[in-house]
Amino acid sequence: MCMVIFAPLFAIFAFATCGGYSGGLRLSVDCVNKTESNLSIDIAFAYPFRLHQVTFEVPTCEGKERQKLALTGDSSSSAEFFVTVAVFAFLYSLAATVVYIFFQNKYRENNRGPLVDFIVTVVFSFLWLVGSSAWAKGLSDVKVATDPKEVLLLMSACKQPSNKCMAVHSPVMSSLNTSVVFGFLNFILWAGNIWFVFKETGWHSSGQRYLSDPMEKHSGSYNHGGYNQDSYGSSGGYGRQASLGPSSDEFGQQSSGPASFTNQI
């Protein structure tokens, strides 16, 4: 039940916080000649974070000439893979919820539903782990590439001590950090659900039968061996003890010997 409730929500938060991101930073270059300065250089970037395609122009502080630069790095592969896993996990969670609620009999028919569900759950657990780890690395690269200090190093005007270069504001990465957190939460959720889905499969029930059969044979042999020996001992052992003493008839026959001898005398 927890899987049915939280899996779609966690998947939505994961791909919404990553796929819907757009941010930027603002820099300023104050040249010695104030007419050549630019105090508001806006650099915008967004999903899928092909930063090498993000271009911007900055003053060179050498007349009207301007320098065209681009950010470094490309984290599109890890970001797109992460969002793709999140979208497909969301769609499968919705489909599984409908099957659990409205088609429970079909789900358990011929044990195919639980087996498919188990395999898909294992696959998505692995994909969430790989996707979240890759996106965490990609996000680290995005943070480095969009760090205002790193961007200022690309400008030739900022290499001259007479010019003043500074960052007006840095990009906000809180939503991207949230996406990574929800990615690993999805992995924990799907991996924790593997055991519960496995219990619904025929593999789990066959394993229980395999373990129960030797126990039944062992208990049966104990009943046939141990308790029959007790019954044997109760019947045979007490009979032997009884045979050790003379019976009443034999005792009577032995006592009649002296009487007949006296009569003969």
Side-chain angles (χ1 to χ4, degrees):
M1 184 59 68
C2 293
M3 177 69 179
V4 172
I5 296 174
F6 291 109
L9 294 177
F10 283 12
I12 290 175
F13 288 135
F15 71 74
T17 52
C18 179
Y21 177 83
S22 61
L25 64 153
R26 179 175 294 177
L27 307 174
S28 69
V29 178
D30 189 8
C31 302
V32 176
N33 187 357
K34 301 300 181 182
T35 59
E36 301 173 356
S37 301
N38 188 348
L39 303 180
S40 180
I41 304 173
D42 293 320
I43 305 173
F45 59 96
Y47 173 85
F49 308 103
R50 293 186 177 94
L51 301 180
H52 65 285
Q53 297 179 357
V54 178
T55 59
F56 55 97
E57 292 184 352
V58 298
T60 59
C61 296
E62 296 177 355
K64 298 296 182 179
E65 185 181 356
R66 301 182 66 83
Q67 182 183 14
K68 188 175 182 180
L69 299 173
L71 297 178
T72 59
D74 183 6
S75 300
S76 59
S77 59
S78 59
E80 290 176 343
F81 180 76
F82 179 80
V83 171
T84 302
V85 172
V87 171
F88 278 101
F90 170 73
L91 295 177
Y92 179 77
S93 300
L94 289 183
T97 302
V98 173
V99 172
Y100 291 159
I101 297 176
F102 299 104
F103 302 99
Q104 187 65 234
N105 294 331
K106 293 291 184 180
Y107 173 77
R108 298 182 180 277
E109 185 177 357
N110 296 329
N111 199 36
R112 293 180 180 178
L115 288 178
V116 173
D117 194 16
F118 173 74
I119 294 173
V120 174
T121 302
V122 173
V123 171
F124 269 112
S125 300
F126 176 75
L127 292 178
W128 273 118
L129 177 61
V130 174
S132 300
S133 301
W135 171 229
K137 177 60 171 62
L139 178 56
S140 178
D141 295 338
V142 170
K143 290 180 178 180
V144 172
T146 57
D147 187 356
K149 295 180 180 179
E150 296 293 330
V151 178
L152 290 175
L153 294 177
L154 302 175
M155 303 179 185
S156 60
C158 298
K159 297 178 182 179
Q160 300 176 9
S162 58
N163 301 322
K164 296 180 180 179
C165 301
M166 60 181 300
V168 178
H169 70 76
S170 302
V172 179
M173 301 287 188
S174 57
S175 62
L176 296 181
N177 294 331
T178 304
S179 67
V180 174
V181 172
F182 273 105
F184 285 105
L185 286 177
N186 275 285
F187 163 68
I188 294 173
L189 181 64
W190 285 80
N193 192 54
I194 291 177
W195 167 246
F196 298 100
V197 178
F198 176 73
K199 290 172 64 177
E200 300 292 331
T201 63
W203 296 337
H204 180 262
S205 58
S206 62
Q208 285 186 332
R209 288 196 300 268
Y210 177 78
L211 292 175
S212 61
D213 289 342
M215 294 296 295
E216 292 177 356
K217 292 180 180 180
H218 180 71
S219 61
S221 62
Y222 179 77
N223 290 333
H224 288 294
Y227 286 103
N228 288 339
Q229 287 177 2
D230 293 342
S231 61
Y232 173 77
S234 61
S235 60
Y238 284 109
R240 291 175 183 175
Q241 291 178 1
S243 63
L244 292 177
S247 62
S248 59
D249 294 338
E250 293 176 353
F251 184 78
Q253 291 177 359
Q254 291 176 0
S255 60
S256 61
S260 61
F261 178 74
T262 53
N263 290 334
Q264 290 178 1
I265 294 176

